[in-house]
Amino acid sequence: MDDDRIWAFEESLWVGDAAHYHELIDDECVMVLPAPPFVMSGAEAIEAVSSTPRWERVEFSEQQVKRPQEGLIVIAYHVVASREGSDPYSAYCTTVMRWLSHEVWRVVQHQQTLRGVVGGG
């Protein structure tokens, strides 16, 4: 997967509907999010995120892409996400994607650290 497609894939997870989210998150995914219960896996992680309102706009910065082995992509970035009627959300994130078959990738790990916690601002 080329870098442009990686970032389009990641953006789709922030703005896509619940069905799209279910399609792209692996059943064995592990997530760490800045809200209780903080550490989640499998269906619990999928439901926790898919049941929250989707973001309307996301902006990525400080983007890094690593390919430690064939079929595995690790990304890190800063995101600012926003939607009408809510304060912007700012976090540092990591996502690990694994290749299943031609053009089919799934998220197996995702982590978010609120920007206010990292760097004090």
Side-chain angles (χ1 to χ4, degrees):
M1 183 168 14
D2 68 32
D3 286 7
D4 289 340
R5 185 161 168 241
I6 290 168
W7 295 112
F9 179 100
E10 189 71 7
E11 181 177 352
S12 78
L13 292 167
W14 288 85
V15 300
D17 63 18
H20 178 74
Y21 191 81
H22 279 267
E23 179 184 334
L24 298 181
I25 304 299
D26 194 270
D27 290 340
E28 296 298 316
C29 184
V30 173
M31 290 191 185
V32 176
L33 301 173
F38 302 107
V39 178
M40 296 164 264
S41 61
E44 178 184 32
I46 294 168
E47 287 306 314
V49 176
S50 66
S51 65
T52 61
R54 308 317 297 154
W55 297 101
E56 295 170 0
R57 292 171 300 285
V58 294
E59 295 178 28
F60 298 139
S61 61
E62 302 179 49
Q63 297 159 278
Q64 294 189 26
V65 176
K66 302 296 179 192
R67 294 172 176 86
Q69 70 182 50
E70 187 172 346
L72 195 64
I73 296 173
V74 179
I75 63 173
Y77 59 96
H78 175 250
V79 66
V80 176
S82 59
R83 64 177 160 253
E84 184 101 16
S86 291
D87 291 334
Y89 177 79
S90 178
Y92 289 95
C93 304
T94 61
T95 299
V96 178
M97 302 167 214
R98 73 178 174 118
W99 179 79
L100 296 179
S101 64
H102 181 70
E103 302 294 321
V104 179
W105 291 81
R106 295 290 181 271
V107 172
V108 294
Q109 180 276 332
H110 180 74
Q111 171 273 327
Q112 298 178 14
T113 301
L114 293 177
R115 184 163 191 265
V117 174
V118 176

